Amino acid sequence: MSATAGPGTRRRWACPFLCWGTGTGGPAPSPFDAQRRREEAPMRWSAGWYGGTGHDRLPAGGRAVCGLDSTWTVGWPGARVRAVGEGPVALVVIGECGADKDQLERALPVVRAQGWRALTRWPGSYLTIARSGETLAVIGDLAGQHPVYWRTDGAGTWWSTSASALAALDGAPADPTALAARLALAQPDVLGQWSLFRPVSRVPTGHLLLITPQGVGTVRYEPVEYEPVDLRDAAPTVRAALTEAVGVRCDSRPVSADLAGLDSTTLACLAAQRGPVTAVTFADARLRDDDLAYAVRTAATVPGLAHRTVPGSPDTVYYAGLEDLSALPVTDAPNAYAVTASIKRTVLDTVAARRPAGVHLTGSAGDAVLSAPSSYLADLLRERQHRRAWQHAQAHARLRHTSALTLLRRARPAARTGLAGAWRLTAAELRRPPRPWVPQAERPVAWTPLLATADWMSPDVRDRLASALDVAAELTDGPARLAAWADHQDLVRVGADTTGWRDMALAGHGIEVAAPFLDNEVIRACLAVPADQRGAPGRYKPLLGEAFAHAGVLPSFVLARVTKGGFNALAYAGLREHAAVLRDLLGPSSRLAAAGLVTEAPVAAMLQRAALGQPTAQGALHLAVAAEVWLRQMETAPAWWEVNSHVATA
């Protein structure tokens, strides 16, 4: 369907579906073709070309997007791809977007005026592609579930939501320095536009990709920090945003939800107001928490919740199933859920056994937006709010069985520097010999904490990472507050991991995983509340409590809850029971080791600590294993591209 109707005319059009093939029309595919395309597609992604007509590649299994030339999606169902346009103006949303057709059409003047941020404010989680004349904007979300990458050549620019796909255009390998940053720092925006592949550039969080005949670059559309809003004033906005986020997913599909902690319980109860919900609680006896007790009581109180308990088994531990990596879907980047896949699959098995495939709500990222770590004490010290810092430190100290002075001493170094200065200090530390291991919670607060994985790297890799940090320090436009930086980095990390979980759920069960706490409007509403209010130690998740008090959504005993489950027992069990597999993954045949990203001795020592039940750098091992799995999977990943026959025969 063309976006133009001829000279001097304007024609509105709407396309709630995708067109097959290399053009914009053609017959609908047969069921066999649809199944073949699903099997060939390694994951969901979108891509586009801006330039001449001479590109010789097409996404394998891709479908052309109506109204936008040379734009395709792979793996996305037609109902999740919608397009409208008028003359040279076009707007496409891909994903869970709460805007209806009329709202999308009313946004066309916004596209024409290039008011890009307004196109990101509908409920849901989605990619936005907007064209105004010869200007093209590709806008991801704030949580990295729809990332945007690009690469250029002499003829034009490729963009995609998959860095791996763009790298596959010429077989570019992973960049060891970028992977080192991911392992050692675990903050996606540290290296700015660097992706995991050297020829591929990444659009940083809060930026969009803007392509014009004059060139390509990124433009910030989201503030570095939000104007602060008092917790009580923000509460109604948070409630409305979260209610809309859940409502977008409650359409004609069956709905299931985790029912465990406060965050997932809130989503389950919101969904139950709209229809029946299958609520599931993972209840392995080794966890010894009170999630199940609260879940049973909640299900008995809230109409519409049909509760199912998911018992644990010897196989529901971390690192189970890594002997056969072919059972895991290929993801665009190392994914944390590769380590916990057996647990997630067990939950989804229970959901799938009870009802047809639908949408499954998870409370992922609730911690990141509803609360805040005590590292905000550094911001209070920097801003000379000494009385408030002391009061908060005293309260946090009581919870952690330590002293207020200890917490303030840990926070003081970060209070004396900004983001750029912190990166220079980290670079200097990387140029020194590796540190003896101590738990991360005992180290000083840092803008970008250096993880134990950094101490496992070769000197050459550490030095290259240090040089990259020095360069990044000259380019950063980071916020003035540590909490604002850390909040966004946590969200993007969780968002990327949740995307991997979604790939797993779709590949194995046909279930769509949804994480409403990662929606743009939920993030904006929550993070406008200062960290020292969200993370105030006197009340557990006060923002959620204030938002839903007396709203008739959550039972009062849920809002009064102050406990939270954890998976440490299953992590340590997995480390003990699968030590041999981990030694093989990270041993002499390790792809990470071949690149100098890990060295054998410190990793072996850490695995030995785990086998003896001693404190272990769990997070570092988790990151290393996920990266090793990803590198091995990339060696046998399905084809990303196919030859454009029209160009090949020209």
Side-chain angles (χ1 to χ4, degrees):
M1 184 178 297
S2 174
T4 59
T9 66
R10 286 191 179 275
R11 178 181 175 187
R12 279 185 180 267
W13 50 269
C15 182
F17 54 90
L18 291 162
C19 302
W20 286 85
T22 60
T24 57
S30 70
F32 173 81
D33 288 336
Q35 177 63 29
R36 176 178 60 81
R37 289 177 185 272
R38 282 196 297 271
E39 291 173 352
E40 288 177 352
M43 52 178 259
R44 282 181 177 175
W45 55 290
S46 305
W49 167 260
Y50 185 105
T53 58
H55 65 85
D56 62 351
R57 304 292 178 86
L58 293 171
R63 293 191 266 186
V65 176
C66 295
L68 280 177
D69 293 336
S70 300
T71 303
W72 306 268
T73 66
V74 179
W76 279 103
R80 301 289 172 254
V81 183
R82 292 179 295 145
V84 297
E86 182 181 49
V89 178
L91 173 63
V92 177
V93 290
I94 302 172
E96 299 278 358
C97 180
D100 60 25
K101 175 186 172 183
D102 288 342
Q103 288 174 301
L104 292 177
E105 289 185 337
R106 288 198 298 271
L108 290 174
V110 178
V111 176
R112 188 175 291 109
Q114 301 187 11
W116 309 125
R117 188 172 188 261
L119 306 176
T120 70
R121 307 217 61 166
W122 295 301
S125 177
Y126 49 90
L127 176 76
T128 303
I129 310 167
R131 187 190 65 210
S132 179
E134 292 187 297
T135 297
L136 183 73
V138 187
I139 315 171
D141 66 315
L142 297 176
Q145 294 191 95
H146 303 274
V148 180
Y149 305 92
W150 86 95
R151 63 180 299 174
T152 60
D153 61 28
T157 298
W158 281 105
W159 65 263
S160 178
T161 56
S162 167
S164 300
L166 294 184
L169 285 167
D170 61 359
D175 179 359
T177 303
L179 195 51
R182 185 183 185 94
L183 289 168
L185 308 172
Q187 291 186 343
D189 286 321
V190 171
L191 297 189
Q193 294 186 6
W194 278 30
S195 79
L196 289 176
F197 304 93
R198 182 60 59 85
V200 179
S201 296
R202 169 183 176 271
V203 177
T205 306
H207 292 69
L208 58 87
L209 181 67
L210 196 67
I211 314 177
T212 70
Q214 287 71 47
V216 57
T218 65
V219 176
R220 176 174 284 281
Y221 71 89
E222 193 72 4
V224 176
E225 295 187 58
Y226 297 116
E227 286 294 322
V229 180
D230 184 77
L231 184 146
R232 289 188 176 181
D233 294 335
T237 306
V238 170
R239 182 174 65 251
L242 200 54
T243 301
E244 286 189 313
V246 172
V248 167
R249 278 81 178 189
C250 295
D251 46 25
S252 59
R253 295 170 291 180
V255 178
S256 60
D258 293 330
L259 189 63
L262 184 55
D263 308 332
S264 61
T265 299
T266 301
L267 302 181
C269 291
L270 281 169
Q273 292 190 322
R274 295 175 176 267
V277 176
T278 299
V280 291
T281 305
F282 180 71
D284 193 300
R286 291 167 289 188
L287 296 179
R288 297 182 181 180
D289 58 29
D290 54 3
D291 279 356
L292 181 58
Y294 272 96
V296 170
R297 189 177 175 189
T298 301
T301 306
V302 177
L305 291 180
H307 185 235
R308 302 286 182 266
T309 301
V310 184
S313 72
D315 293 330
T316 53
V317 294
Y318 282 37
Y319 309 107
L322 295 182
E323 303 89 346
D324 180 15
L325 300 185
S326 65
L328 293 171
V330 174
T331 55
D332 195 49
N335 190 266
Y337 287 109
V339 172
T340 58
S342 66
I343 299 171
K344 296 301 181 185
R345 284 196 184 112
T346 301
V347 172
L348 295 173
D349 285 344
T350 300
V351 172
R354 297 289 178 178
R355 61 195 312 166
V359 61
H360 182 78
L361 301 174
T362 171
S364 293
D367 287 341
V369 296
L370 296 172
S371 57
S374 60
S375 56
Y376 71 79
L377 292 172
D379 293 328
L380 295 180
L381 291 175
R382 180 185 301 102
E383 294 163 2
R384 299 187 180 279
Q385 298 186 51
H386 295 114
R387 180 184 295 274
R388 188 167 177 80
W390 175 249
Q391 292 170 341
H392 279 237
Q394 286 181 307
H396 282 294
R398 285 193 292 271
L399 294 174
R400 290 161 176 75
H401 306 291
T402 185
S403 72
L405 286 175
T406 296
L407 293 180
L408 291 174
R409 276 196 295 267
R410 288 186 60 238
R412 190 165 290 117
R416 293 172 174 167
T417 187
L419 183 60
W423 287 352
R424 294 188 185 97
L425 291 173
T426 300
E429 186 169 5
L430 283 166
R431 293 187 173 100
R432 295 192 288 268
R435 313 158 299 179
W437 182 75
V438 298
Q440 199 70 34
E442 296 178 14
R443 294 191 183 279
V445 170
W447 285 78
T448 301
L450 195 61
L451 306 180
T453 31
D455 301 312
W456 303 346
M457 296 175 179
S458 69
D460 177 61
V461 169
R462 287 168 62 91
D463 187 65
R464 279 186 279 138
L465 179 56
S467 297
L469 275 172
D470 282 335
V471 173
E474 299 298 323
L475 302 174
T476 182
D477 63 347
R481 290 184 177 88
L482 183 154
W485 165 259
D487 285 342
H488 282 289
Q489 298 312 297
D490 287 347
L491 283 169
V492 178
R493 185 173 61 248
V494 173
D497 286 338
T498 302
T499 299
W501 180 11
R502 182 178 298 109
D503 293 338
M504 184 191 310
L506 285 168
H509 300 81
I511 293 173
E512 181 83 49
V513 169
F517 286 108
L518 289 169
D519 284 9
N520 284 354
E521 288 300 276
V522 175
I523 290 171
R524 288 166 172 145
C526 292
L527 296 192
V529 178
D532 60 299
Q533 294 186 39
R534 286 182 284 119
R539 184 181 174 192
Y540 183 56
K541 294 191 176 172
L543 179 55
L544 192 66
E546 192 70 30
F548 287 94
H550 314 298
V553 175
L554 292 167
S556 58
F557 62 84
V558 172
L559 287 172
R561 185 178 178 183
V562 296
T563 57
K564 177 179 174 61
F567 283 77
N568 276 352
L570 302 186
Y572 275 102
L575 285 169
R576 291 192 303 271
E577 295 166 18
H578 299 284
V581 175
L582 297 180
R583 281 194 296 268
D584 179 65
L585 276 173
L586 301 176
S589 64
S590 165
R591 279 58 168 174
L592 292 175
L597 292 163
V598 300
T599 49
E600 190 172 354
V603 173
M606 194 59 66
L607 290 174
Q608 180 64 23
R609 289 181 62 89
L612 297 174
Q614 297 175 343
T616 306
Q618 286 188 42
L621 282 172
H622 204 137
L623 285 169
V625 171
E628 180 67 30
V629 167
W630 179 72
L631 286 172
R632 295 188 184 213
Q633 285 185 311
M634 293 300 289
E635 296 171 356
T636 57
W640 295 90
W641 301 91
E642 58 192 29
V643 175
N644 183 347
S645 59
H646 294 294
V647 175
T649 58

